[in-house]
Amino acid sequence: MNKTINILNNKWFALLFLAIAFSLIYNPLTKFPYTFCVIVLFILVTTYLQDGNLNRLNFKKLGLKELKAILLVYVGLELVMDFLFQPTVSWLCNEPADYSTFESIKGNIGMYFKYLLYMWISAAFGEELLFRGYAFFQFQKIFGDKKGLIVLLSAVLFSLPHLYQGLSGLIMTFLFGIAFALIYSKYQNIWINIIIHGLIDTVFLTLSYLGYLEFYNLLGK
């Protein structure tokens, strides 16, 4: 077992595992949200094979201190992104992000709760585990303790699957990726990232359900 662990901790295996995990997003055999269920399983198995445990994914306990940090970081991130970066990016790109994919949720309570459940599974839990916990784990094996580079690369990977949102949406996702990576780098607790990501997407889906997606368009005018 120890010999296998030593071999799999090679930086080339780390790069291979990360590439496979990322490519699974585009596999034709599964659909949203089941795609990320497959990715999560792959992450758990390969992490255990590499380290003999799952400690490096940072599933740590949440106490009162962590809950306070979640609340403060979430509120600050929501305000900065919605009222500073979103309008600036929309103005620079001369277009708002393309969120038309979510217009089907408007006024449909069943669809709203369905997307909410799927979002917490795929975006909050799945994306944070892949683009923060797992990406940091593998990038550290490849590049060592180069935190700035790891933050940047993880944000790039996070933004690529969001190309359907247009240039403005792509840039906003990249900025969120930077923010999430910095949060993870500071607290080293994947649950903090999962909850903050989930809260942000919950607000977005709620605005979609209420028919207020133009809120994001108005900010850029």
Side-chain angles (χ1 to χ4, degrees):
M1 180 65 177
N2 288 335
K3 185 176 180 180
T4 301
I5 289 175
N6 289 334
I7 293 173
L8 295 180
N9 271 306
N10 181 287
K11 67 178 180 180
W12 298 112
F13 271 103
L15 181 60
L16 175 63
F17 287 154
L18 184 57
I20 292 174
F22 182 80
S23 65
L24 284 173
I25 296 173
Y26 304 98
N27 90 82
L29 301 178
T30 57
K31 296 182 179 180
F32 173 83
Y34 305 107
T35 295
F36 264 94
C37 294
V38 173
I39 293 172
V40 167
L41 180 60
F42 177 81
I43 287 172
L44 296 178
V45 170
T46 54
T47 299
Y48 186 81
L49 288 175
Q50 285 177 297
D51 267 24
N53 56 64
L54 302 177
N55 294 341
R56 293 287 294 276
L57 295 177
N58 287 316
F59 287 107
K60 297 178 180 178
K61 293 181 180 180
L62 292 175
L64 183 59
K65 180 180 177 181
E66 287 75 23
L67 293 176
K68 288 180 179 179
I70 288 171
L71 179 60
L72 290 174
V73 172
Y74 161 68
V75 172
L77 185 59
E78 191 81 79
L79 291 175
V80 170
M81 288 297 184
D82 286 352
F83 294 99
L84 178 59
F85 286 110
Q86 181 83 56
T88 301
V89 170
S90 296
W91 176 73
L92 289 173
C93 296
N94 197 31
E95 65 174 13
D98 183 6
Y99 298 135
S100 58
T101 302
F102 302 94
E103 289 181 355
S104 61
I105 301 174
K106 181 179 179 180
N108 189 329
I109 190 68
M111 187 70 74
Y112 168 69
F113 281 111
K114 178 181 177 181
Y115 266 74
L116 201 60
L117 174 62
Y118 286 179
M119 177 276 297
W120 275 94
I121 294 172
S122 289
F125 187 84
E127 288 185 358
E128 288 306 314
L129 191 59
L130 172 58
F131 296 113
R132 256 62 67 178
Y134 195 62
F136 269 63
F137 172 51
Q138 302 300 351
F139 279 141
Q140 284 167 355
K141 293 182 181 297
I142 299 168
F143 300 111
D145 195 28
K146 297 181 180 178
K147 292 184 179 179
L149 179 62
I150 293 173
V151 165
L152 179 63
L153 290 176
S154 66
V156 170
L157 286 181
F158 177 61
S159 64
L160 290 178
H162 298 80
L163 284 167
Y164 68 91
Q165 294 179 359
L167 179 59
S168 180
L170 184 67
I171 294 173
M172 282 304 303
T173 306
F174 173 75
L175 293 175
F176 267 111
I178 292 290
F180 288 142
L182 291 174
I183 292 168
Y184 184 72
S185 182
K186 175 176 175 59
Y187 294 104
Q188 293 291 300
N189 188 331
I190 196 64
W191 289 118
I192 291 178
N193 275 72
I194 289 169
I195 294 172
I196 291 173
H197 192 153
L199 289 174
I200 287 172
D201 283 2
T202 296
V203 169
F204 174 82
L205 289 177
T206 302
L207 289 174
S208 301
Y209 169 71
L210 296 173
Y212 292 146
L213 274 181
E214 61 269 21
F215 165 75
Y216 295 101
N217 298 342
L218 292 173
L219 289 175
K221 294 181 179 180

